[in-house]
Amino acid sequence: MTATRILVLNSGSSSVKYQLLDMKDHARLAVGLVERIGEETSRLKHTPLATGGAAREQNRPIADHKVALELVAEELAQDGLGLDSPELAAIGHRVVHGGKLFTQPTVIDDAVLKEVERLIPVAPLHNPANLTGIRTAQTLRPDLPQVAVFDTAFHTTMPESAARYAIDVKTADEHRVRRYGFHGTSHAYVSRKTAELLGKQPEDVNVIVLHLGNGASASAVRGGQCVETSMGLTPLEGLVMGTRSGDVDPAVIFHLMRVAKMSADEIDDLLNKKSGLIGLCGDNDMREIRRRIDEGDQEARLAFDIYVHRLKKYIGSYYAVLGRVDAVAFTAGVGENAAPVREAAVAGLEELGLAVDGELNSVRSDEPRLISPEYARVAVAVVPTDEELEIAQQTYALVRSRND
Protein backbone atom coordinates (compact mmCIF):
# COMPACT_ATOMS: atom_id res chain seq x y z
CA MET A 1 0.00 0.00 0.00
CA THR A 2 1.62 3.23 -1.16
CA ALA A 3 -1.02 5.76 -0.11
CA THR A 4 -0.13 7.03 3.37
CA ARG A 5 -2.19 10.18 3.85
CA ILE A 6 -5.26 10.31 6.10
CA LEU A 7 -7.76 13.15 6.18
CA VAL A 8 -9.38 13.44 9.63
CA LEU A 9 -12.80 15.09 9.78
CA ASN A 10 -14.60 16.17 12.96
CA SER A 11 -18.02 17.42 11.92
CA GLY A 12 -19.98 19.36 14.51
CA SER A 13 -23.47 20.77 14.26
CA SER A 14 -22.20 24.02 12.73
CA SER A 15 -18.50 23.35 12.21
CA VAL A 16 -15.94 21.08 10.58
CA LYS A 17 -12.44 20.63 12.01
CA TYR A 18 -9.98 18.85 9.77
CA GLN A 19 -6.38 17.71 9.55
CA LEU A 20 -4.45 16.01 6.77
CA LEU A 21 -1.66 13.77 8.09
CA ASP A 22 1.00 11.65 6.42
CA MET A 23 1.33 8.42 8.36
CA LYS A 24 4.87 7.77 7.11
CA ASP A 25 6.12 10.18 9.75
CA HIS A 26 2.89 11.49 11.38
CA ALA A 27 3.53 14.88 9.77
CA ARG A 28 0.62 17.32 9.64
CA LEU A 29 0.30 18.58 6.09
CA ALA A 30 -2.67 20.90 6.64
CA VAL A 31 -5.09 21.86 9.40
CA GLY A 32 -8.24 23.90 9.32
CA LEU A 33 -11.60 24.87 10.74
CA VAL A 34 -14.91 25.82 9.17
CA GLU A 35 -17.22 27.42 11.71
CA ARG A 36 -20.66 29.01 11.91
CA ILE A 37 -21.91 26.88 9.00
CA GLY A 38 -25.38 28.02 7.93
CA GLU A 39 -24.86 31.59 9.14
CA GLU A 40 -24.08 34.79 7.28
CA THR A 41 -20.80 35.11 9.20
CA SER A 42 -19.29 31.71 8.31
CA ARG A 43 -15.51 31.42 8.38
CA LEU A 44 -12.96 28.99 6.99
CA LYS A 45 -9.40 29.10 8.29
CA HIS A 46 -6.87 26.87 6.50
CA THR A 47 -3.19 26.48 7.39
CA PRO A 48 -0.95 24.70 4.82
CA LEU A 49 1.75 23.26 7.08
CA ALA A 50 3.37 21.19 4.32
CA THR A 51 4.31 24.29 2.33
CA GLY A 52 4.99 26.50 5.33
CA GLY A 53 2.61 29.07 3.90
CA ALA A 54 0.57 31.56 5.84
CA ALA A 55 -2.90 30.71 7.06
CA ARG A 56 -5.70 31.62 4.68
CA GLU A 57 -9.16 32.77 5.69
CA GLN A 58 -12.50 32.98 3.95
CA ASN A 59 -15.29 34.97 5.55
CA ARG A 60 -18.48 34.32 3.61
CA PRO A 61 -21.82 32.55 3.99
CA ILE A 62 -21.34 28.76 3.93
CA ALA A 63 -24.77 27.21 3.56
CA ASP A 64 -24.19 23.65 4.72
CA HIS A 65 -21.62 20.91 5.34
CA LYS A 66 -21.54 19.96 1.65
CA VAL A 67 -20.43 23.46 0.70
CA ALA A 68 -18.01 23.50 3.64
CA LEU A 69 -16.26 20.29 2.60
CA GLU A 70 -16.16 21.36 -1.04
CA LEU A 71 -14.33 24.52 0.09
CA VAL A 72 -11.98 22.42 2.23
CA ALA A 73 -11.24 20.28 -0.84
CA GLU A 74 -10.48 23.43 -2.86
CA GLU A 75 -8.12 24.74 -0.17
CA LEU A 76 -6.25 21.42 -0.03
CA ALA A 77 -6.03 21.30 -3.83
CA GLN A 78 -4.51 24.78 -3.84
CA ASP A 79 -1.61 23.33 -1.83
CA GLY A 80 -1.27 20.27 -4.06
CA LEU A 81 -2.97 18.12 -1.42
CA GLY A 82 -6.36 17.63 -3.07
CA LEU A 83 -8.85 14.89 -2.27
CA ASP A 84 -8.16 13.36 -5.70
CA SER A 85 -4.54 12.65 -4.72
CA PRO A 86 -3.52 8.99 -5.10
CA GLU A 87 -1.59 9.43 -1.83
CA LEU A 88 -4.83 9.79 0.13
CA ALA A 89 -5.52 6.40 1.72
CA ALA A 90 -8.75 7.10 3.61
CA ILE A 91 -10.88 9.63 5.43
CA GLY A 92 -11.25 9.11 9.18
CA HIS A 93 -14.36 10.50 10.86
CA ARG A 94 -14.85 11.23 14.53
CA VAL A 95 -18.24 9.79 15.51
CA VAL A 96 -19.33 10.61 19.04
CA HIS A 97 -21.70 7.75 19.85
CA GLY A 98 -21.26 4.15 18.76
CA GLY A 99 -23.33 2.51 21.49
CA LYS A 100 -22.42 -1.04 22.52
CA LEU A 101 -22.00 -2.32 18.96
CA PHE A 102 -18.94 -0.41 17.76
CA THR A 103 -15.90 -1.31 19.82
CA GLN A 104 -13.26 -0.67 17.13
CA PRO A 105 -12.68 1.69 14.20
CA THR A 106 -15.07 0.61 11.47
CA VAL A 107 -15.19 0.99 7.69
CA ILE A 108 -18.41 2.83 6.94
CA ASP A 109 -21.13 1.15 4.88
CA ASP A 110 -24.92 1.47 4.78
CA ALA A 111 -25.35 -0.75 7.83
CA VAL A 112 -22.94 1.40 9.88
CA LEU A 113 -24.72 4.58 8.82
CA LYS A 114 -28.06 3.07 9.79
CA GLU A 115 -26.79 2.15 13.27
CA VAL A 116 -25.23 5.60 13.86
CA GLU A 117 -28.56 7.10 12.83
CA ARG A 118 -30.40 4.76 15.20
CA LEU A 119 -28.26 6.12 18.04
CA ILE A 120 -29.34 9.74 17.45
CA PRO A 121 -31.75 9.71 20.44
CA VAL A 122 -28.80 9.20 22.82
CA ALA A 123 -26.56 11.69 20.98
CA PRO A 124 -28.95 14.25 19.45
CA LEU A 125 -26.39 17.05 19.18
CA HIS A 126 -23.50 15.03 17.78
CA ASN A 127 -24.46 12.01 15.69
CA PRO A 128 -26.56 13.95 13.13
CA ALA A 129 -23.63 16.27 12.42
CA ASN A 130 -21.23 13.32 12.21
CA LEU A 131 -23.56 11.64 9.70
CA THR A 132 -23.75 14.79 7.58
CA GLY A 133 -19.96 14.97 7.40
CA ILE A 134 -19.68 11.31 6.44
CA ARG A 135 -22.31 11.48 3.70
CA THR A 136 -20.81 14.63 2.24
CA ALA A 137 -17.32 13.10 2.19
CA GLN A 138 -18.75 10.02 0.49
CA THR A 139 -20.12 12.13 -2.34
CA LEU A 140 -16.75 13.83 -2.81
CA ARG A 141 -14.74 10.56 -2.80
CA PRO A 142 -17.14 7.60 -3.18
CA ASP A 143 -14.24 5.29 -4.08
CA LEU A 144 -12.25 6.02 -0.91
CA PRO A 145 -12.53 4.07 2.37
CA GLN A 146 -14.36 6.12 5.00
CA VAL A 147 -13.66 5.02 8.56
CA ALA A 148 -15.62 5.84 11.71
CA VAL A 149 -13.66 6.18 14.95
CA PHE A 150 -16.05 6.28 17.89
CA ASP A 151 -15.67 8.37 21.05
CA THR A 152 -17.39 5.62 23.00
CA ALA A 153 -15.33 2.68 21.68
CA PHE A 154 -12.47 2.83 24.21
CA HIS A 155 -14.97 2.57 27.07
CA THR A 156 -16.73 -0.58 25.80
CA THR A 157 -14.27 -2.66 27.87
CA MET A 158 -15.94 -1.48 31.09
CA PRO A 159 -17.41 -4.39 33.06
CA GLU A 160 -21.19 -4.50 33.38
CA SER A 161 -20.81 -3.59 37.05
CA ALA A 162 -19.45 -0.21 35.94
CA ALA A 163 -21.52 0.30 32.79
CA ARG A 164 -25.01 -0.44 34.14
CA TYR A 165 -27.16 1.96 36.12
CA ALA A 166 -29.10 0.50 39.04
CA ILE A 167 -32.50 0.88 37.39
CA ASP A 168 -35.01 -1.65 36.10
CA VAL A 169 -33.13 -3.88 33.67
CA LYS A 170 -35.96 -4.24 31.16
CA THR A 171 -36.47 -0.48 30.94
CA ALA A 172 -32.72 0.14 30.63
CA ASP A 173 -32.27 -2.43 27.86
CA GLU A 174 -35.32 -1.32 25.91
CA HIS A 175 -34.15 2.28 25.79
CA ARG A 176 -30.37 1.63 25.69
CA VAL A 177 -29.85 3.36 29.04
CA ARG A 178 -26.34 2.60 30.29
CA ARG A 179 -23.01 4.33 30.80
CA TYR A 180 -21.14 4.72 27.51
CA GLY A 181 -18.46 7.32 28.25
CA PHE A 182 -16.94 9.84 25.85
CA HIS A 183 -13.57 11.44 24.94
CA GLY A 184 -12.48 7.86 24.24
CA THR A 185 -9.91 8.68 21.56
CA SER A 186 -8.24 11.09 23.99
CA HIS A 187 -8.26 8.62 26.89
CA ALA A 188 -6.83 5.88 24.64
CA TYR A 189 -4.06 8.13 23.31
CA VAL A 190 -3.10 9.63 26.68
CA SER A 191 -3.09 6.33 28.59
CA ARG A 192 -0.80 4.80 25.96
CA LYS A 193 1.51 7.84 25.91
CA THR A 194 1.68 7.81 29.70
CA ALA A 195 2.92 4.21 29.61
CA GLU A 196 5.57 5.26 27.07
CA LEU A 197 6.61 8.13 29.36
CA LEU A 198 7.14 5.60 32.16
CA GLY A 199 9.13 3.34 29.84
CA LYS A 200 6.56 0.54 30.10
CA GLN A 201 4.05 -1.27 27.91
CA PRO A 202 0.40 -0.18 28.23
CA GLU A 203 -0.60 -3.66 29.45
CA ASP A 204 1.74 -3.22 32.45
CA VAL A 205 0.40 0.15 33.61
CA ASN A 206 -2.64 1.37 35.54
CA VAL A 207 -3.47 5.01 34.77
CA ILE A 208 -6.06 7.55 35.89
CA VAL A 209 -6.58 9.93 32.95
CA LEU A 210 -8.09 13.38 33.61
CA HIS A 211 -9.26 15.00 30.36
CA LEU A 212 -9.98 18.55 31.51
CA GLY A 213 -11.27 20.94 28.88
CA ASN A 214 -14.56 22.80 28.59
CA GLY A 215 -15.92 19.27 28.60
CA ALA A 216 -14.19 17.13 31.22
CA SER A 217 -13.99 13.42 31.96
CA ALA A 218 -11.95 10.94 33.95
CA SER A 219 -11.12 7.32 33.23
CA ALA A 220 -9.56 4.42 35.08
CA VAL A 221 -7.38 2.40 32.67
CA ARG A 222 -6.06 -0.98 33.76
CA GLY A 223 -3.46 -2.56 31.51
CA GLY A 224 -4.51 -0.51 28.50
CA GLN A 225 -8.24 -1.12 28.92
CA CYS A 226 -10.83 1.24 30.35
CA VAL A 227 -12.58 -0.17 33.41
CA GLU A 228 -14.42 2.98 34.54
CA THR A 229 -15.17 6.46 33.20
CA SER A 230 -17.03 9.50 34.51
CA MET A 231 -19.34 10.40 31.62
CA GLY A 232 -22.39 8.21 31.23
CA LEU A 233 -25.37 7.89 28.90
CA THR A 234 -24.49 11.42 27.79
CA PRO A 235 -21.50 13.73 28.35
CA LEU A 236 -23.37 15.43 31.22
CA GLU A 237 -22.41 13.02 34.02
CA GLY A 238 -19.23 13.24 36.09
CA LEU A 239 -16.82 16.11 36.65
CA VAL A 240 -17.66 19.80 36.93
CA MET A 241 -17.20 21.24 33.43
CA GLY A 242 -17.24 24.62 31.72
CA THR A 243 -21.02 24.79 31.32
CA ARG A 244 -22.16 21.31 32.43
CA SER A 245 -23.05 20.41 36.00
CA GLY A 246 -21.60 16.93 36.10
CA ASP A 247 -23.01 14.75 38.89
CA VAL A 248 -26.25 15.92 40.51
CA ASP A 249 -28.96 14.15 42.48
CA PRO A 250 -31.50 13.05 39.80
CA ALA A 251 -34.25 14.34 42.08
CA VAL A 252 -33.02 17.89 41.35
CA ILE A 253 -34.77 17.53 37.98
CA PHE A 254 -38.11 16.54 39.55
CA HIS A 255 -37.75 19.26 42.16
CA LEU A 256 -37.27 21.93 39.48
CA MET A 257 -40.21 20.59 37.50
CA ARG A 258 -42.52 20.71 40.53
CA VAL A 259 -41.30 23.80 42.36
CA ALA A 260 -39.86 26.01 39.61
CA LYS A 261 -42.32 24.74 36.95
CA MET A 262 -39.42 24.25 34.54
CA SER A 263 -39.91 22.10 31.45
CA ALA A 264 -37.65 19.18 30.51
CA ASP A 265 -36.05 21.32 27.79
CA GLU A 266 -35.40 24.18 30.22
CA ILE A 267 -33.73 21.84 32.71
CA ASP A 268 -31.70 20.24 29.92
CA ASP A 269 -30.52 23.72 28.92
CA LEU A 270 -29.76 24.59 32.56
CA LEU A 271 -27.64 21.51 33.26
CA ASN A 272 -25.80 21.46 29.93
CA LYS A 273 -25.31 25.13 29.12
CA LYS A 274 -25.82 27.22 32.28
CA SER A 275 -24.16 25.12 34.96
CA GLY A 276 -20.63 24.03 35.81
CA LEU A 277 -18.13 26.85 36.17
CA ILE A 278 -20.21 29.35 34.22
CA GLY A 279 -23.20 28.68 36.44
CA LEU A 280 -21.14 28.98 39.61
CA CYS A 281 -19.26 32.18 38.84
CA GLY A 282 -20.19 33.43 35.36
CA ASP A 283 -16.91 32.36 33.72
CA ASN A 284 -15.91 29.07 32.13
CA ASP A 285 -12.35 30.10 31.24
CA MET A 286 -10.02 28.81 33.95
CA ARG A 287 -7.51 31.58 33.22
CA GLU A 288 -10.11 34.21 33.97
CA ILE A 289 -11.25 32.37 37.09
CA ARG A 290 -7.68 32.26 38.40
CA ARG A 291 -7.25 35.97 37.64
CA ARG A 292 -10.39 36.74 39.64
CA ILE A 293 -9.19 34.55 42.52
CA ASP A 294 -5.90 36.47 42.60
CA GLU A 295 -7.95 39.65 42.96
CA GLY A 296 -9.83 38.21 45.92
CA ASP A 297 -13.07 37.22 44.16
CA GLN A 298 -14.82 34.77 46.52
CA GLU A 299 -17.36 33.60 43.92
CA ALA A 300 -14.53 32.51 41.63
CA ARG A 301 -12.71 30.90 44.58
CA LEU A 302 -15.77 28.80 45.46
CA ALA A 303 -16.22 27.70 41.83
CA PHE A 304 -12.57 26.62 41.71
CA ASP A 305 -12.86 24.76 45.01
CA ILE A 306 -15.98 22.89 43.86
CA TYR A 307 -14.22 21.97 40.59
CA VAL A 308 -11.17 20.62 42.46
CA HIS A 309 -13.24 18.86 45.11
CA ARG A 310 -14.98 16.83 42.39
CA LEU A 311 -11.62 16.00 40.81
CA LYS A 312 -10.27 14.69 44.12
CA LYS A 313 -13.35 12.51 44.58
CA TYR A 314 -12.80 10.87 41.21
CA ILE A 315 -9.07 10.39 41.72
CA GLY A 316 -9.76 8.68 45.03
CA SER A 317 -12.60 6.51 43.75
CA TYR A 318 -10.65 5.41 40.67
CA TYR A 319 -7.67 4.62 42.86
CA ALA A 320 -9.98 2.25 44.75
CA VAL A 321 -11.29 0.72 41.50
CA LEU A 322 -7.79 0.08 40.14
CA GLY A 323 -6.20 -1.04 43.42
CA ARG A 324 -2.78 -0.01 42.13
CA VAL A 325 -2.09 3.25 40.31
CA ASP A 326 1.11 3.87 38.40
CA ALA A 327 0.28 7.34 37.12
CA VAL A 328 -2.28 10.14 37.07
CA ALA A 329 -2.21 11.95 33.72
CA PHE A 330 -3.63 15.43 33.09
CA THR A 331 -4.61 16.37 29.54
CA ALA A 332 -6.71 18.75 27.35
CA GLY A 333 -6.89 22.55 27.62
CA VAL A 334 -7.17 22.93 31.40
CA GLY A 335 -5.26 19.77 32.24
CA GLU A 336 -2.30 20.73 30.07
CA ASN A 337 -2.14 24.44 30.88
CA ALA A 338 -3.59 25.16 34.33
CA ALA A 339 -0.82 24.39 36.81
CA PRO A 340 -2.93 25.55 39.82
CA VAL A 341 -5.60 22.96 38.96
CA ARG A 342 -3.04 20.14 38.85
CA GLU A 343 -1.46 21.25 42.12
CA ALA A 344 -4.79 21.60 43.92
CA ALA A 345 -6.16 18.29 42.62
CA VAL A 346 -3.22 16.35 44.06
CA ALA A 347 -2.75 18.37 47.26
CA GLY A 348 -3.52 16.32 50.36
CA LEU A 349 -3.22 12.97 48.56
CA GLU A 350 0.32 12.26 49.76
CA GLU A 351 -0.86 9.16 51.65
CA LEU A 352 -1.91 7.76 48.25
CA GLY A 353 1.61 8.31 46.95
CA LEU A 354 0.70 11.43 44.94
CA ALA A 355 2.66 14.68 44.94
CA VAL A 356 3.51 17.51 42.55
CA ASP A 357 6.87 19.25 42.28
CA GLY A 358 6.14 22.98 42.16
CA GLU A 359 9.00 23.82 39.80
CA LEU A 360 8.23 21.00 37.35
CA ASN A 361 4.53 21.81 37.48
CA SER A 362 5.15 25.43 36.48
CA VAL A 363 7.00 24.51 33.26
CA ARG A 364 5.04 25.10 30.04
CA SER A 365 5.71 22.55 27.31
CA ASP A 366 4.00 20.77 24.43
CA GLU A 367 5.80 17.54 25.31
CA PRO A 368 4.65 14.75 27.65
CA ARG A 369 6.37 15.21 31.00
CA LEU A 370 6.41 14.16 34.63
CA ILE A 371 5.60 16.81 37.23
CA SER A 372 5.94 14.62 40.33
CA PRO A 373 9.07 14.51 42.51
CA GLU A 374 11.32 11.47 42.21
CA TYR A 375 10.27 10.15 45.62
CA ALA A 376 6.56 10.01 44.69
CA ARG A 377 5.18 6.47 44.57
CA VAL A 378 2.69 7.42 41.83
CA ALA A 379 3.81 9.42 38.81
CA VAL A 380 1.88 12.58 37.99
CA ALA A 381 2.12 13.47 34.30
CA VAL A 382 1.03 16.11 31.83
CA VAL A 383 0.38 14.46 28.47
CA PRO A 384 -0.90 16.67 25.64
CA THR A 385 -3.71 14.88 23.88
CA ASP A 386 -3.84 14.39 20.12
CA GLU A 387 -7.23 13.05 19.13
CA GLU A 388 -6.67 13.73 15.44
CA LEU A 389 -3.47 11.68 15.39
CA GLU A 390 -5.23 8.88 17.27
CA ILE A 391 -8.07 8.87 14.72
CA ALA A 392 -5.55 8.92 11.86
CA GLN A 393 -3.55 6.05 13.35
CA GLN A 394 -6.62 3.91 13.91
CA THR A 395 -7.94 4.68 10.42
CA TYR A 396 -4.63 3.93 8.72
CA ALA A 397 -4.11 0.67 10.65
CA LEU A 398 -7.57 -0.55 9.66
CA VAL A 399 -7.15 0.32 5.98
CA ARG A 400 -3.71 -1.31 5.86
CA SER A 401 -5.01 -4.48 7.49
CA ARG A 402 -7.75 -4.71 4.84
CA ASN A 403 -5.24 -4.32 2.02
CA ASP A 404 -2.56 -6.69 3.33
Side-chain angles (χ1 to χ4, degrees):
M1 178 179 173
T2 56
T4 58
R5 293 177 183 172
I6 300 293
L7 176 63
V8 176
L9 294 178
N10 181 353
S11 300
S13 57
S14 61
S15 66
V16 176
K17 297 177 185 177
Y18 64 94
Q19 291 194 15
L20 181 65
L21 299 96
D22 194 326
M23 302 314 294
K24 287 199 303 287
D25 54 6
H26 296 172
R28 283 173 172 75
L29 306 179
V31 301
L33 169 66
V34 188
E35 56 186 345
R36 298 191 293 273
I37 295 170
E39 300 179 20
E40 290 293 319
T41 57
S42 307
R43 181 178 79 118
L44 186 158
K45 183 176 182 181
H46 174 87
T47 305
L49 301 175
T51 62
R56 304 191 294 267
E57 279 196 32
Q58 295 188 43
N59 293 279
R60 46 169 286 186
I62 299 175
D64 53 33
H65 284 71
K66 183 176 185 296
V67 175
L69 285 177
E70 287 171 349
L71 290 173
V72 170
E74 290 175 9
E75 291 288 345
L76 290 169
Q78 189 173 325
D79 303 316
L81 304 169
L83 296 190
D84 58 351
S85 169
E87 296 183 66
L88 187 60
I91 299 177
H93 297 266
R94 179 198 180 211
V95 179
V96 166
H97 216 309
K100 289 179 65 177
L101 181 61
F102 297 113
T103 63
Q104 300 291 335
T106 305
V107 174
I108 298 167
D109 57 19
D110 289 343
V112 172
L113 288 174
K114 187 174 181 179
E115 181 63 18
V116 173
E117 191 167 11
R118 195 175 72 87
L119 288 163
I120 285 175
V122 289
L125 298 179
H126 298 95
N127 274 30
N130 301 154
L131 283 166
T132 300
I134 291 167
R135 287 172 172 145
T136 303
Q138 286 178 324
T139 63
L140 293 174
R141 278 298 304 268
D143 59 314
L144 201 66
Q146 312 269 339
V147 174
V149 177
F150 298 91
D151 262 15
T152 49
F154 183 65
H155 304 304
T156 57
T157 55
M158 283 193 296
E160 284 294 280
S161 56
R164 277 198 175 270
Y165 292 110
I167 66 172
D168 173 66
V169 171
K170 184 179 178 181
T171 301
D173 288 348
E174 182 179 352
H175 299 287
R176 300 189 295 278
V177 176
R178 62 187 286 113
R179 302 185 62 249
Y180 294 101
F182 299 90
H183 295 148
T185 51
S186 177
H187 286 281
Y189 178 86
V190 170
S191 60
R192 192 174 63 252
K193 283 290 180 183
T194 302
E196 288 181 17
L197 188 62
L198 299 180
K200 299 180 179 180
Q201 295 299 314
E203 55 267 27
D204 298 325
V205 175
N206 291 353
V207 185
I208 297 172
V209 178
L210 301 172
H211 176 110
L212 308 179
N214 193 50
S217 60
S219 68
V221 183
R222 177 186 290 126
Q225 293 194 323
C226 177
V227 295
E228 175 66 283
T229 193
S230 59
M231 287 179 168
L233 173 72
T234 76
L236 180 59
E237 187 180 355
L239 302 175
V240 176
M241 305 178 219
T243 66
R244 298 180 194 137
S245 64
D247 295 336
V248 294
D249 180 348
V252 168
I253 296 168
F254 314 134
H255 177 77
L256 292 174
M257 284 180 168
R258 295 181 186 120
V259 176
K261 308 302 180 187
M262 294 176 70
S263 69
D265 286 344
E266 287 173 327
I267 297 171
D268 188 304
D269 187 63
L270 170 71
L271 296 180
N272 276 291
K273 299 178 181 178
K274 299 176 181 177
S275 296
L277 292 172
I278 206 162
L280 289 167
C281 70
D283 272 310
N284 63 335
D285 187 322
M286 188 58 72
R287 294 166 297 188
E288 181 63 16
I289 290 171
R290 289 302 310 179
R291 184 194 65 77
R292 287 171 56 184
I293 290 172
D294 291 341
E295 293 178 354
D297 188 314
Q298 293 305 305
E299 194 176 60
R301 165 54 68 184
L302 179 59
F304 182 85
D305 289 346
I306 293 170
Y307 183 93
V308 169
H309 179 78
R310 188 79 56 85
L311 271 178
K312 284 180 182 287
K313 283 176 64 176
Y314 271 88
I315 292 171
S317 64
Y318 285 6
Y319 206 120
V321 167
L322 290 170
R324 187 199 84 237
V325 176
D326 299 295
V328 173
F330 290 86
T331 194
V334 174
E336 294 170 28
N337 298 298
V341 169
R342 299 191 296 260
E343 180 182 9
V346 171
L349 303 182
E350 291 81 8
E351 290 297 318
L352 297 179
L354 289 159
V356 163
D357 179 287
E359 187 173 337
L360 293 175
N361 190 36
S362 65
V363 173
R364 298 293 293 268
S365 173
D366 294 329
E367 296 298 319
R369 60 199 185 276
L370 295 177
I371 59 170
S372 48
E374 289 186 8
Y375 64 79
R377 191 168 73 250
V378 178
V380 180
V382 180
V383 181
T385 192
D386 197 332
E387 293 173 271
E388 289 78 15
L389 177 58
E390 181 70 16
I391 291 170
Q393 288 177 320
Q394 292 191 27
T395 299
Y396 186 58
L398 177 58
V399 173
R400 280 186 60 186
S401 69
R402 283 163 50 90
N403 290 343
D404 287 346

